[in-house]
């Protein structure tokens, strides 16, 4: 009976996704690329909060402590065992090397022991694929704006896993700028959600911060000038003994980031007409950004999608989904798979 159930289950494509690139230990079980059977996220935010940011060595150690429990819980909630799985998908980069190695080694050992394929997933592809968790039939060409803690990219997808990067940040990523300004304003980690909260009720025109558009036609980003401008404003006020309204500062800073992201997206859509526009990465959780994009995209014939906040930040479900599309291509990793901290798209 058990054997029969196993054979039946084997007809389905069941992917276990594992994510440990930064400070979330997460695992999810996905059935046929459609149905999330379980999703567990163990966040380390409270551990890192007292240091004002992620401490890499502590992050690796925390993954080491929690990974077995997170994976077991994901399987238990899905009502499955290792031998029901079709493959194990794991993030192998980009991210913190120690954190990535925990996930990669764990996934490798499990896949080897279960005799099933191992799938190497690029974390950044995972963020874009988070959109497929809740939205079906997304048509190509699909333009994606990925804005996370380490990356800001515009990517045009012609088909599944068939894409070209058309814009990248030349310095700070959008999320990184949020985190650095939050720290300077004393809001702490994680910066993005704290800035968004502080900006509520603030005057977004109180400070005229720069919006770097770069050379005409460029789809690249630069946030370091904006970051310096906010820090200079804060420092010169401090030197004069003046106090500034932090809600106004947060609102003005956020408006500058949102303006740049929206303007670059519209430019990209002019050059690369797309049927779908997908927002992805931690900054996609920002409601001001979503609203500003929605307003502009309502005027165009483009379907606009973004993940629920839980799927914007790091999670195992998006890794399982990106892994599912690699599985369909039979694109499996070798047992010598290593973590690649600087992996790009
Ligand atoms: O995608 P993610 O979870 O991790 C990386 O792969 O980097 O993104 C984390 C980033 C952090 O910089 C965080 O401050 C930012 O996403 N973030 C936000 C919001 N929620 C998270 N930024 C702006 N507004 C938010 N609501
Ligand atoms: Zn991420």
């Amino acid at each position: 009976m058990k054997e029969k159930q196993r054979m039946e289950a084997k007809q389905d494509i069941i992917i276990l996704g594992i994510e440990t690139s930064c400070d979330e230990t997460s695992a999810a079980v996905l059935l046929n690329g459609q149905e999330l059977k379980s999703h567990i996220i163990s966040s380390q935010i409270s551990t890192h909060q007292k240091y004002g940011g992620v401490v890499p060595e502590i992050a690796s150690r925390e993954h080491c402590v929690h990974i077995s429990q997170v994976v077991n819980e994901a399987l238990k909630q899905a009502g499955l065992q290792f031998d029901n799985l079709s493959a194990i998908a794991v993030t192998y980069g980009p991210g913190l090397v120690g954190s990535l190695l925990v996930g990669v080694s764990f996934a490798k050992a499990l896949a080897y022991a279960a005799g099933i394929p191992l799938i190497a997933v690029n974390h950044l592809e995972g963020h874009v694929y988070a959109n497929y968790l809740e939205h079906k039939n997304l048509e190509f060409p699909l333009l994606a704006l990925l804005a996370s803690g380490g990356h800001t990219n515009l990517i045009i997808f012609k088909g599944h896993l068939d894409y070209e990067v058309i814009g990248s940040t030349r310095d700070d990523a959008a999320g990184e700028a949020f985190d650095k300004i939050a720290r300077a304003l004393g809001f702490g980690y994680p910066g993005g959600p704290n800035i968004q909260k502080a900006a509520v009720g603030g005057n977004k025109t109180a400070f005229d911060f720069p919006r770097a558009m770069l050379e005409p036609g460029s789809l690249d980003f630069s946030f370091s000038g904006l970051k310096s401008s906010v820090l200079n404003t804060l420092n010169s006020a401090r030197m004069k003994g003046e106090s500034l309204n932090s809600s106004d500062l947060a609102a003005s800073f956020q408006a500058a980031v949102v303006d740049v992201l929206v303007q670059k997206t519209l430019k990209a859509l002019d050059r690369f007409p797309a049927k779908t526009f997908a927002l992805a990465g931690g900054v996609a959780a920002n409601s001001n950004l979503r609203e500003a994009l929605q307003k502009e995209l309502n005027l165009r014939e483009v379907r606009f999608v973004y993940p629920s906040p839980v799927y914007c930040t790091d999670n195992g479900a998006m890794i399982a989904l990106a892994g599912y599309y690699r599985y369909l291509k039979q694109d499996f990793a070798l047992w010598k798979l290593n973590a690649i901290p600087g992996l790009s798209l």
Side-chain angles (χ1 to χ4, degrees):
M1 158 77 167
K2 260 198 168 156
E3 188 61 21
K4 186 165 175 285
Q5 275 175 348
R6 188 167 68 197
M7 293 311 287
E8 279 168 4
K10 282 277 184 193
Q11 309 289 312
D12 293 315
I13 300 173
I14 306 174
I15 309 283
L16 169 68
I18 298 179
E19 157 65 34
T20 65
S21 67
C22 189
D23 60 341
E24 260 98 28
T25 317
S26 181
V29 175
L30 181 73
L31 176 64
N32 295 325
Q34 299 277 336
E35 195 187 332
L36 204 52
K37 304 296 284 182
S38 63
H39 190 202
I40 310 292
I41 303 177
S42 166
S43 173
Q44 303 174 9
I45 285 183
S46 58
T47 308
H48 297 285
Q49 234 155 12
K50 52 182 170 290
Y51 304 104
V54 177
V55 181
E57 184 183 331
I58 295 177
S60 324
R61 290 176 182 277
E62 287 288 302
H63 287 305
C64 218
V65 170
H66 297 292
I67 192 158
S68 324
Q69 202 187 340
V70 166
V71 169
N72 281 333
E73 193 56 35
L75 280 168
K76 197 170 136 197
Q77 277 193 18
L80 296 171
Q81 292 172 354
F82 288 118
D83 55 4
N84 299 125
L85 298 174
S86 311
I88 297 177
V90 65
T91 303
Y92 75 114
L96 302 170
V97 67
S99 292
L100 289 165
L101 282 171
V102 175
V104 167
S105 306
F106 195 85
K108 232 191 235 195
L110 278 186
Y112 189 80
I116 54 174
L118 176 70
I119 301 171
V121 173
N122 181 322
H123 180 79
L124 307 175
E125 287 178 4
H127 271 303
V128 176
Y129 274 86
N131 280 288
Y132 283 86
L133 288 163
E134 299 162 296
H135 309 291
K136 307 296 169 205
N137 310 317
L138 298 184
E139 282 186 274
F140 297 108
L142 177 149
L143 176 73
L145 170 63
L146 166 65
S148 68
H151 295 80
T152 310
N153 290 114
L154 279 160
I155 312 148
I156 187 89
F157 281 74
K158 287 174 234 143
H160 279 298
L161 299 171
D162 176 11
Y163 58 82
E164 187 192 339
V165 176
I166 54 170
S168 302
T169 183
R170 294 188 187 169
D171 38 58
D172 291 357
E176 190 180 355
F178 268 99
D179 293 337
K180 287 177 177 167
I181 296 305
R183 200 172 309 152
L185 292 173
F187 296 144
Y189 174 82
N194 288 338
I195 294 244
Q196 186 183 316
K197 221 185 293 163
V200 175
N203 174 5
K204 64 179 184 180
T205 59
F207 299 90
D208 186 18
F209 293 131
R211 277 98 167 127
M213 292 299 164
L214 306 174
E215 318 82 68
S218 170
L219 295 175
D220 284 346
F221 301 89
S222 166
F223 292 105
S224 69
L226 167 63
K227 179 190 69 186
S228 304
S229 176
V230 181
L231 295 179
N232 289 342
T233 305
L234 275 171
N235 287 339
S236 63
R238 247 174 233 144
M239 272 167 14
K240 289 185 214 150
E242 294 169 5
S243 71
L244 299 176
N245 181 314
S246 57
S247 186
D248 287 351
L249 272 166
S252 302
F253 162 75
Q254 180 176 253
V257 177
V258 167
D259 272 0
V260 172
L261 294 175
V262 172
Q263 291 312 315
K264 293 280 175 176
T265 298
L266 297 180
K267 247 187 202 172
L269 283 172
D270 288 340
R271 289 246 300 275
F272 299 87
K275 293 206 164 134
T276 311
F277 170 66
L279 194 56
V283 181
N286 188 282
S287 52
N288 294 69
L289 175 62
R290 293 170 173 203
E291 282 160 23
L293 281 166
Q294 187 73 68
K295 208 168 135 203
E296 291 295 336
L297 290 165
N298 281 345
L299 309 171
R300 299 174 181 235
E301 281 181 8
V302 181
R303 181 175 172 199
F304 175 34
V305 292
Y306 47 81
S308 296
V310 64
Y311 301 125
C312 286
T313 46
D314 296 346
N315 66 86
M318 69 186 196
I319 302 306
L321 198 42
Y324 169 77
Y325 285 98
R326 292 231 169 255
Y327 184 93
L328 295 183
K329 290 180 182 236
Q330 301 281 290
D331 183 359
F332 302 135
L334 301 176
W335 294 121
K336 65 178 185 185
L337 176 72
N338 202 348
I340 304 185
L343 184 71
S344 58
L345 281 167

